mmCIF file of all heavy atoms in Angstrom:
data_model
loop_
_atom_site.group_PDB
_atom_site.id
_atom_site.type_symbol
_atom_site.label_atom_id
_atom_site.label_comp_id
_atom_site.label_asym_id
_atom_site.label_seq_id
_atom_site.Cartn_x
_atom_site.Cartn_y
_atom_site.Cartn_z
ATOM 1 N N ARG A 2 6.194 -7.594 -2.285
ATOM 2 C CA ARG A 2 6.747 -7.761 -3.629
ATOM 3 C C ARG A 2 5.693 -8.389 -4.537
ATOM 4 O O ARG A 2 5.099 -9.410 -4.191
ATOM 5 C CB ARG A 2 7.983 -8.652 -3.575
ATOM 6 C CG ARG A 2 9.126 -8.012 -2.787
ATOM 7 C CD ARG A 2 10.246 -9.010 -2.500
ATOM 8 N NE ARG A 2 11.206 -8.449 -1.569
ATOM 9 C CZ ARG A 2 11.087 -8.517 -0.235
ATOM 10 N NH1 ARG A 2 10.061 -9.106 0.318
ATOM 11 N NH2 ARG A 2 12.014 -7.973 0.538
ATOM 12 N N ASP A 3 5.440 -7.765 -5.674
ATOM 13 C CA ASP A 3 4.551 -8.312 -6.710
ATOM 14 C C ASP A 3 3.128 -8.578 -6.238
ATOM 15 O O ASP A 3 2.479 -9.502 -6.725
ATOM 16 C CB ASP A 3 5.145 -9.600 -7.305
ATOM 17 C CG ASP A 3 6.519 -9.372 -7.886
ATOM 18 O OD1 ASP A 3 6.710 -8.333 -8.551
ATOM 19 O OD2 ASP A 3 7.408 -10.217 -7.676
ATOM 20 N N ALA A 4 2.639 -7.802 -5.293
ATOM 21 C CA ALA A 4 1.256 -7.961 -4.830
ATOM 22 C C ALA A 4 0.461 -6.711 -5.192
ATOM 23 O O ALA A 4 1.023 -5.631 -5.367
ATOM 24 C CB ALA A 4 1.224 -8.200 -3.325
ATOM 25 N N TRP A 5 -0.836 -6.848 -5.257
ATOM 26 C CA TRP A 5 -1.736 -5.768 -5.669
ATOM 27 C C TRP A 5 -2.315 -5.056 -4.451
ATOM 28 O O TRP A 5 -3.500 -4.745 -4.406
ATOM 29 C CB TRP A 5 -2.832 -6.323 -6.576
ATOM 30 C CG TRP A 5 -2.332 -6.647 -7.948
ATOM 31 C CD1 TRP A 5 -1.514 -7.690 -8.303
ATOM 32 C CD2 TRP A 5 -2.579 -5.912 -9.138
ATOM 33 N NE1 TRP A 5 -1.255 -7.639 -9.643
ATOM 34 C CE2 TRP A 5 -1.903 -6.561 -10.186
ATOM 35 C CE3 TRP A 5 -3.319 -4.765 -9.426
ATOM 36 C CZ2 TRP A 5 -1.932 -6.110 -11.490
ATOM 37 C CZ3 TRP A 5 -3.352 -4.316 -10.735
ATOM 38 C CH2 TRP A 5 -2.660 -4.986 -11.752
ATOM 39 N N TRP A 6 -1.468 -4.776 -3.464
ATOM 40 C CA TRP A 6 -1.908 -4.070 -2.261
ATOM 41 C C TRP A 6 -0.705 -3.540 -1.494
ATOM 42 O O TRP A 6 0.425 -3.954 -1.704
ATOM 43 C CB TRP A 6 -2.750 -4.975 -1.358
ATOM 44 C CG TRP A 6 -2.086 -6.266 -0.958
ATOM 45 C CD1 TRP A 6 -2.124 -7.448 -1.630
ATOM 46 C CD2 TRP A 6 -1.278 -6.517 0.207
ATOM 47 N NE1 TRP A 6 -1.387 -8.415 -0.962
ATOM 48 C CE2 TRP A 6 -0.863 -7.859 0.166
ATOM 49 C CE3 TRP A 6 -0.869 -5.711 1.278
ATOM 50 C CZ2 TRP A 6 -0.071 -8.431 1.154
ATOM 51 C CZ3 TRP A 6 -0.065 -6.287 2.258
ATOM 52 C CH2 TRP A 6 0.313 -7.626 2.195
ATOM 53 N N THR A 7 -0.992 -2.586 -0.604
ATOM 54 C CA THR A 7 -0.056 -2.128 0.417
ATOM 55 C C THR A 7 -0.811 -2.150 1.735
ATOM 56 O O THR A 7 -2.051 -2.143 1.747
ATOM 57 C CB THR A 7 0.467 -0.702 0.151
ATOM 58 O OG1 THR A 7 -0.624 0.213 0.203
ATOM 59 C CG2 THR A 7 1.158 -0.605 -1.202
ATOM 60 N N ALA A 8 -0.093 -2.175 2.843
ATOM 61 C CA ALA A 8 -0.761 -2.226 4.149
ATOM 62 C C ALA A 8 -0.169 -1.170 5.076
ATOM 63 O O ALA A 8 1.055 -1.020 5.157
ATOM 64 C CB ALA A 8 -0.605 -3.607 4.779
ATOM 65 N N LEU A 9 -1.047 -0.468 5.744
ATOM 66 C CA LEU A 9 -0.679 0.523 6.750
ATOM 67 C C LEU A 9 -1.127 -0.004 8.105
ATOM 68 O O LEU A 9 -2.291 -0.366 8.280
ATOM 69 C CB LEU A 9 -1.374 1.859 6.449
ATOM 70 C CG LEU A 9 -1.232 2.954 7.497
ATOM 71 C CD1 LEU A 9 0.211 3.458 7.547
ATOM 72 C CD2 LEU A 9 -2.182 4.104 7.178
ATOM 73 N N PHE A 10 -0.184 -0.046 9.063
ATOM 74 C CA PHE A 10 -0.472 -0.507 10.417
ATOM 75 C C PHE A 10 -0.282 0.694 11.335
ATOM 76 O O PHE A 10 0.788 1.304 11.349
ATOM 77 C CB PHE A 10 0.490 -1.629 10.810
ATOM 78 C CG PHE A 10 0.419 -2.825 9.892
ATOM 79 C CD1 PHE A 10 1.211 -2.888 8.758
ATOM 80 C CD2 PHE A 10 -0.444 -3.868 10.167
ATOM 81 C CE1 PHE A 10 1.160 -3.987 7.904
ATOM 82 C CE2 PHE A 10 -0.510 -4.973 9.322
ATOM 83 C CZ PHE A 10 0.287 -5.026 8.193
ATOM 84 N N GLN A 11 -1.330 1.014 12.109
ATOM 85 C CA GLN A 11 -1.307 2.209 12.951
ATOM 86 C C GLN A 11 -1.378 1.835 14.430
ATOM 87 O O GLN A 11 -2.202 1.017 14.823
ATOM 88 C CB GLN A 11 -2.495 3.106 12.607
ATOM 89 C CG GLN A 11 -2.524 3.495 11.136
ATOM 90 C CD GLN A 11 -3.711 4.349 10.789
ATOM 91 O OE1 GLN A 11 -3.541 5.512 10.478
ATOM 92 N NE2 GLN A 11 -4.914 3.802 10.847
ATOM 93 N N ALA A 12 -0.528 2.456 15.222
ATOM 94 C CA ALA A 12 -0.586 2.265 16.674
ATOM 95 C C ALA A 12 -1.791 3.028 17.230
ATOM 96 O O ALA A 12 -2.371 3.885 16.557
ATOM 97 C CB ALA A 12 0.714 2.768 17.305
ATOM 98 N N ALA A 13 -2.149 2.729 18.457
ATOM 99 C CA ALA A 13 -3.199 3.495 19.137
ATOM 100 C C ALA A 13 -2.713 4.934 19.261
ATOM 101 O O ALA A 13 -1.505 5.165 19.347
ATOM 102 C CB ALA A 13 -3.473 2.876 20.502
ATOM 103 N N PRO A 14 -3.561 5.910 19.166
ATOM 104 C CA PRO A 14 -5.009 5.860 19.338
ATOM 105 C C PRO A 14 -5.802 5.691 18.045
ATOM 106 O O PRO A 14 -7.020 5.832 18.057
ATOM 107 C CB PRO A 14 -5.311 7.221 19.953
ATOM 108 C CG PRO A 14 -4.330 8.140 19.293
ATOM 109 C CD PRO A 14 -3.081 7.310 19.142
ATOM 110 N N ALA A 15 -5.179 5.390 16.931
ATOM 111 C CA ALA A 15 -5.905 5.261 15.664
ATOM 112 C C ALA A 15 -7.017 4.223 15.797
ATOM 113 O O ALA A 15 -6.800 3.131 16.329
ATOM 114 C CB ALA A 15 -4.950 4.873 14.547
ATOM 115 N N GLY A 16 -8.184 4.553 15.311
ATOM 116 C CA GLY A 16 -9.325 3.637 15.354
ATOM 117 C C GLY A 16 -9.151 2.459 14.412
ATOM 118 O O GLY A 16 -9.616 1.352 14.695
ATOM 119 N N LEU A 17 -8.487 2.708 13.274
ATOM 120 C CA LEU A 17 -8.205 1.625 12.337
ATOM 121 C C LEU A 17 -6.811 1.089 12.631
ATOM 122 O O LEU A 17 -5.820 1.804 12.518
ATOM 123 C CB LEU A 17 -8.296 2.114 10.893
ATOM 124 C CG LEU A 17 -9.684 2.524 10.408
ATOM 125 C CD1 LEU A 17 -9.625 3.023 8.974
ATOM 126 C CD2 LEU A 17 -10.671 1.365 10.529
ATOM 127 N N GLU A 18 -6.749 -0.158 13.016
ATOM 128 C CA GLU A 18 -5.467 -0.804 13.304
ATOM 129 C C GLU A 18 -4.717 -1.107 12.004
ATOM 130 O O GLU A 18 -3.507 -0.903 11.914
ATOM 131 C CB GLU A 18 -5.721 -2.102 14.076
ATOM 132 C CG GLU A 18 -4.494 -2.901 14.370
ATOM 133 C CD GLU A 18 -4.834 -4.217 15.050
ATOM 134 O OE1 GLU A 18 -5.987 -4.703 14.957
ATOM 135 O OE2 GLU A 18 -3.920 -4.773 15.676
ATOM 136 N N VAL A 19 -5.461 -1.599 11.002
ATOM 137 C CA VAL A 19 -4.874 -1.955 9.715
ATOM 138 C C VAL A 19 -5.722 -1.323 8.612
ATOM 139 O O VAL A 19 -6.947 -1.414 8.638
ATOM 140 C CB VAL A 19 -4.819 -3.484 9.513
ATOM 141 C CG1 VAL A 19 -4.120 -3.830 8.196
ATOM 142 C CG2 VAL A 19 -4.145 -4.184 10.679
ATOM 143 N N TYR A 20 -5.029 -0.702 7.652
ATOM 144 C CA TYR A 20 -5.685 -0.062 6.517
ATOM 145 C C TYR A 20 -4.919 -0.490 5.274
ATOM 146 O O TYR A 20 -3.774 -0.086 5.075
ATOM 147 C CB TYR A 20 -5.639 1.459 6.664
ATOM 148 C CG TYR A 20 -6.442 2.216 5.653
ATOM 149 C CD1 TYR A 20 -7.664 2.781 6.004
ATOM 150 C CD2 TYR A 20 -5.996 2.380 4.344
ATOM 151 C CE1 TYR A 20 -8.419 3.495 5.076
ATOM 152 C CE2 TYR A 20 -6.737 3.084 3.422
ATOM 153 C CZ TYR A 20 -7.947 3.636 3.790
ATOM 154 O OH TYR A 20 -8.697 4.333 2.865
ATOM 155 N N CYS A 21 -5.534 -1.343 4.465
ATOM 156 C CA CYS A 21 -4.883 -1.836 3.250
ATOM 157 C C CYS A 21 -5.478 -1.147 2.037
ATOM 158 O O CYS A 21 -6.698 -1.084 1.886
ATOM 159 C CB CYS A 21 -5.070 -3.344 3.112
ATOM 160 S SG CYS A 21 -4.306 -4.292 4.435
ATOM 161 N N ASP A 22 -4.611 -0.651 1.188
ATOM 162 C CA ASP A 22 -5.019 -0.085 -0.096
ATOM 163 C C ASP A 22 -4.806 -1.134 -1.167
ATOM 164 O O ASP A 22 -3.718 -1.718 -1.257
ATOM 165 C CB ASP A 22 -4.154 1.130 -0.454
ATOM 166 C CG ASP A 22 -4.564 2.377 0.291
ATOM 167 O OD1 ASP A 22 -5.723 2.781 0.162
ATOM 168 O OD2 ASP A 22 -3.706 2.945 0.985
ATOM 169 N N VAL A 23 -5.819 -1.346 -1.996
ATOM 170 C CA VAL A 23 -5.639 -2.183 -3.172
ATOM 171 C C VAL A 23 -5.006 -1.283 -4.228
ATOM 172 O O VAL A 23 -5.523 -0.205 -4.520
ATOM 173 C CB VAL A 23 -6.983 -2.772 -3.651
ATOM 174 C CG1 VAL A 23 -6.811 -3.507 -4.969
ATOM 175 C CG2 VAL A 23 -7.560 -3.698 -2.571
ATOM 176 N N THR A 24 -3.855 -1.697 -4.733
ATOM 177 C CA THR A 24 -3.047 -0.882 -5.646
ATOM 178 C C THR A 24 -2.436 -1.774 -6.729
ATOM 179 O O THR A 24 -2.454 -3.003 -6.604
ATOM 180 C CB THR A 24 -1.877 -0.198 -4.906
ATOM 181 O OG1 THR A 24 -0.946 -1.199 -4.481
ATOM 182 C CG2 THR A 24 -2.346 0.615 -3.714
ATOM 183 N N THR A 25 -1.858 -1.142 -7.720
ATOM 184 C CA THR A 25 -0.990 -1.902 -8.619
ATOM 185 C C THR A 25 0.234 -2.309 -7.805
ATOM 186 O O THR A 25 0.509 -1.718 -6.749
ATOM 187 C CB THR A 25 -0.565 -1.045 -9.821
ATOM 188 O OG1 THR A 25 0.110 0.129 -9.344
ATOM 189 C CG2 THR A 25 -1.756 -0.665 -10.695
ATOM 190 N N PRO A 26 0.995 -3.304 -8.267
ATOM 191 C CA PRO A 26 2.214 -3.667 -7.525
ATOM 192 C C PRO A 26 3.142 -2.461 -7.372
ATOM 193 O O PRO A 26 3.293 -1.650 -8.284
ATOM 194 C CB PRO A 26 2.838 -4.756 -8.405
ATOM 195 C CG PRO A 26 1.652 -5.390 -9.085
ATOM 196 C CD PRO A 26 0.728 -4.234 -9.380
ATOM 197 N N SER A 27 3.740 -2.347 -6.201
ATOM 198 C CA SER A 27 4.645 -1.233 -5.900
ATOM 199 C C SER A 27 5.872 -1.287 -6.801
ATOM 200 O O SER A 27 6.390 -2.363 -7.093
ATOM 201 C CB SER A 27 5.102 -1.299 -4.442
ATOM 202 O OG SER A 27 3.986 -1.221 -3.588
ATOM 203 N N GLU A 28 6.313 -0.107 -7.212
ATOM 204 C CA GLU A 28 7.530 0.012 -8.018
ATOM 205 C C GLU A 28 8.500 0.918 -7.279
ATOM 206 O O GLU A 28 8.102 1.888 -6.641
ATOM 207 C CB GLU A 28 7.205 0.600 -9.392
ATOM 208 C CG GLU A 28 6.308 -0.283 -10.228
ATOM 209 C CD GLU A 28 5.977 0.317 -11.581
ATOM 210 O OE1 GLU A 28 6.542 1.379 -11.930
ATOM 211 O OE2 GLU A 28 5.139 -0.274 -12.284
ATOM 212 N N TRP A 29 9.782 0.585 -7.405
ATOM 213 C CA TRP A 29 10.857 1.339 -6.764
ATOM 214 C C TRP A 29 11.744 1.930 -7.861
ATOM 215 O O TRP A 29 12.730 1.304 -8.258
ATOM 216 C CB TRP A 29 11.656 0.426 -5.840
ATOM 217 C CG TRP A 29 10.861 -0.070 -4.675
ATOM 218 C CD1 TRP A 29 10.015 -1.142 -4.652
ATOM 219 C CD2 TRP A 29 10.819 0.491 -3.380
ATOM 220 N NE1 TRP A 29 9.454 -1.275 -3.411
ATOM 221 C CE2 TRP A 29 9.936 -0.277 -2.598
ATOM 222 C CE3 TRP A 29 11.462 1.586 -2.785
ATOM 223 C CZ2 TRP A 29 9.669 0.003 -1.269
ATOM 224 C CZ3 TRP A 29 11.200 1.860 -1.449
ATOM 225 C CH2 TRP A 29 10.312 1.079 -0.705
ATOM 226 N N PRO A 30 11.412 3.138 -8.363
ATOM 227 C CA PRO A 30 12.245 3.734 -9.408
ATOM 228 C C PRO A 30 13.664 4.023 -8.925
ATOM 229 O O PRO A 30 14.585 4.094 -9.725
ATOM 230 C CB PRO A 30 11.517 5.013 -9.797
ATOM 231 C CG PRO A 30 10.523 5.271 -8.733
ATOM 232 C CD PRO A 30 10.264 3.973 -8.032
ATOM 233 N N ASN A 31 13.824 4.175 -7.611
ATOM 234 C CA ASN A 31 15.134 4.332 -6.982
ATOM 235 C C ASN A 31 14.958 4.008 -5.499
ATOM 236 O O ASN A 31 13.820 3.891 -5.027
ATOM 237 C CB ASN A 31 15.710 5.741 -7.222
ATOM 238 C CG ASN A 31 14.853 6.827 -6.624
ATOM 239 O OD1 ASN A 31 14.738 6.930 -5.398
ATOM 240 N ND2 ASN A 31 14.227 7.634 -7.479
ATOM 241 N N PRO A 32 16.037 3.832 -4.743
ATOM 242 C CA PRO A 32 15.912 3.443 -3.334
ATOM 243 C C PRO A 32 15.172 4.456 -2.455
ATOM 244 O O PRO A 32 14.721 4.105 -1.370
ATOM 245 C CB PRO A 32 17.360 3.285 -2.867
ATOM 246 C CG PRO A 32 18.143 3.057 -4.107
ATOM 247 C CD PRO A 32 17.440 3.839 -5.178
ATOM 248 N N ALA A 33 15.049 5.692 -2.919
ATOM 249 C CA ALA A 33 14.412 6.732 -2.112
ATOM 250 C C ALA A 33 12.971 7.028 -2.536
ATOM 251 O O ALA A 33 12.394 8.011 -2.095
ATOM 252 C CB ALA A 33 15.236 8.021 -2.188
ATOM 253 N N GLN A 34 12.375 6.167 -3.374
ATOM 254 C CA GLN A 34 10.995 6.405 -3.794
ATOM 255 C C GLN A 34 10.291 5.091 -4.111
ATOM 256 O O GLN A 34 10.845 4.208 -4.762
ATOM 257 C CB GLN A 34 10.937 7.303 -5.026
ATOM 258 C CG GLN A 34 9.508 7.627 -5.443
ATOM 259 C CD GLN A 34 9.438 8.514 -6.668
ATOM 260 O OE1 GLN A 34 10.411 8.637 -7.414
ATOM 261 N NE2 GLN A 34 8.298 9.141 -6.883
ATOM 262 N N VAL A 35 9.065 4.981 -3.625
ATOM 263 C CA VAL A 35 8.191 3.872 -3.982
ATOM 264 C C VAL A 35 6.896 4.481 -4.516
ATOM 265 O O VAL A 35 6.412 5.485 -3.999
ATOM 266 C CB VAL A 35 7.933 2.919 -2.786
ATOM 267 C CG1 VAL A 35 7.248 3.619 -1.617
ATOM 268 C CG2 VAL A 35 7.139 1.691 -3.229
ATOM 269 N N THR A 36 6.373 3.878 -5.571
ATOM 270 C CA THR A 36 5.174 4.418 -6.189
ATOM 271 C C THR A 36 4.242 3.287 -6.604
ATOM 272 O O THR A 36 4.678 2.156 -6.841
ATOM 273 C CB THR A 36 5.537 5.320 -7.397
ATOM 274 O OG1 THR A 36 4.360 5.933 -7.901
ATOM 275 C CG2 THR A 36 6.236 4.535 -8.485
ATOM 276 N N MET A 37 2.962 3.612 -6.667
ATOM 277 C CA MET A 37 1.948 2.651 -7.078
ATOM 278 C C MET A 37 0.699 3.425 -7.477
ATOM 279 O O MET A 37 0.601 4.621 -7.221
ATOM 280 C CB MET A 37 1.640 1.638 -5.969
ATOM 281 C CG MET A 37 0.879 2.147 -4.772
ATOM 282 S SD MET A 37 1.792 3.196 -3.604
ATOM 283 C CE MET A 37 3.259 2.300 -3.297
ATOM 284 N N VAL A 38 -0.265 2.729 -8.094
ATOM 285 C CA VAL A 38 -1.541 3.343 -8.473
ATOM 286 C C VAL A 38 -2.616 2.822 -7.531
ATOM 287 O O VAL A 38 -2.798 1.605 -7.382
ATOM 288 C CB VAL A 38 -1.891 3.022 -9.942
ATOM 289 C CG1 VAL A 38 -3.284 3.527 -10.283
ATOM 290 C CG2 VAL A 38 -0.850 3.609 -10.878
ATOM 291 N N ASP A 39 -3.321 3.744 -6.897
ATOM 292 C CA ASP A 39 -4.425 3.407 -5.998
ATOM 293 C C ASP A 39 -5.629 2.982 -6.829
ATOM 294 O O ASP A 39 -6.070 3.719 -7.711
ATOM 295 C CB ASP A 39 -4.766 4.639 -5.146
ATOM 296 C CG ASP A 39 -5.947 4.396 -4.240
ATOM 297 O OD1 ASP A 39 -6.021 3.318 -3.637
ATOM 298 O OD2 ASP A 39 -6.818 5.287 -4.142
ATOM 299 N N LEU A 40 -6.158 1.804 -6.545
ATOM 300 C CA LEU A 40 -7.313 1.287 -7.277
ATOM 301 C C LEU A 40 -8.595 1.373 -6.460
ATOM 302 O O LEU A 40 -9.540 0.619 -6.700
ATOM 303 C CB LEU A 40 -7.034 -0.150 -7.732
ATOM 304 C CG LEU A 40 -5.875 -0.273 -8.718
ATOM 305 C CD1 LEU A 40 -5.519 -1.727 -8.971
ATOM 306 C CD2 LEU A 40 -6.194 0.458 -10.014
ATOM 307 N N ASP A 41 -8.621 2.304 -5.522
ATOM 308 C CA ASP A 41 -9.831 2.709 -4.803
ATOM 309 C C ASP A 41 -10.250 1.800 -3.658
ATOM 310 O O ASP A 41 -10.625 2.293 -2.608
ATOM 311 C CB ASP A 41 -11.032 2.891 -5.754
ATOM 312 C CG ASP A 41 -10.691 3.671 -6.993
ATOM 313 O OD1 ASP A 41 -10.104 4.767 -6.857
ATOM 314 O OD2 ASP A 41 -10.970 3.197 -8.107
ATOM 315 N N LEU A 42 -10.223 0.488 -3.850
ATOM 316 C CA LEU A 42 -10.696 -0.417 -2.805
ATOM 317 C C LEU A 42 -9.757 -0.381 -1.601
ATOM 318 O O LEU A 42 -8.539 -0.353 -1.755
ATOM 319 C CB LEU A 42 -10.778 -1.847 -3.335
ATOM 320 C CG LEU A 42 -11.811 -2.109 -4.418
ATOM 321 C CD1 LEU A 42 -11.621 -3.500 -4.997
ATOM 322 C CD2 LEU A 42 -13.222 -1.943 -3.860
ATOM 323 N N ASP A 43 -10.342 -0.372 -0.413
ATOM 324 C CA ASP A 43 -9.590 -0.400 0.837
ATOM 325 C C ASP A 43 -10.165 -1.511 1.706
ATOM 326 O O ASP A 43 -11.383 -1.718 1.725
ATOM 327 C CB ASP A 43 -9.715 0.931 1.587
ATOM 328 C CG ASP A 43 -9.315 2.114 0.723
ATOM 329 O OD1 ASP A 43 -8.215 2.088 0.169
ATOM 330 O OD2 ASP A 43 -10.126 3.050 0.599
ATOM 331 N N VAL A 44 -9.301 -2.203 2.414
ATOM 332 C CA VAL A 44 -9.734 -3.242 3.343
ATOM 333 C C VAL A 44 -9.147 -2.877 4.697
ATOM 334 O O VAL A 44 -7.938 -2.685 4.839
ATOM 335 C CB VAL A 44 -9.273 -4.640 2.891
ATOM 336 C CG1 VAL A 44 -9.824 -5.707 3.833
ATOM 337 C CG2 VAL A 44 -9.715 -4.914 1.451
#
């Protein structure tokens, strides 16, 4: 909530365990959709 990132956590065999996108804060226009703007940086 109100943060400038999202985080993706992947089980094995994915080489990246955690992949965070720096984004605008997530918005929920309705319960079935979440949207944000990708600001390119990934951690």
Side-chain angles (χ1 to χ4, degrees):
R2 295 169 190 87
D3 302 318
W5 286 72
W6 55 271
T7 63
L9 173 69
F10 301 89
Q11 303 179 112
L17 293 178
E18 177 184 21
V19 184
Y20 188 104
C21 297
D22 282 302
V23 173
T24 68
T25 58
S27 300
E28 296 179 6
W29 294 84
N31 62 67
Q34 183 180 18
V35 61
T36 186
M37 71 286 311
V38 174
D39 177 43
L40 297 172
D41 314 309
L42 294 171
D43 306 307
V44 184

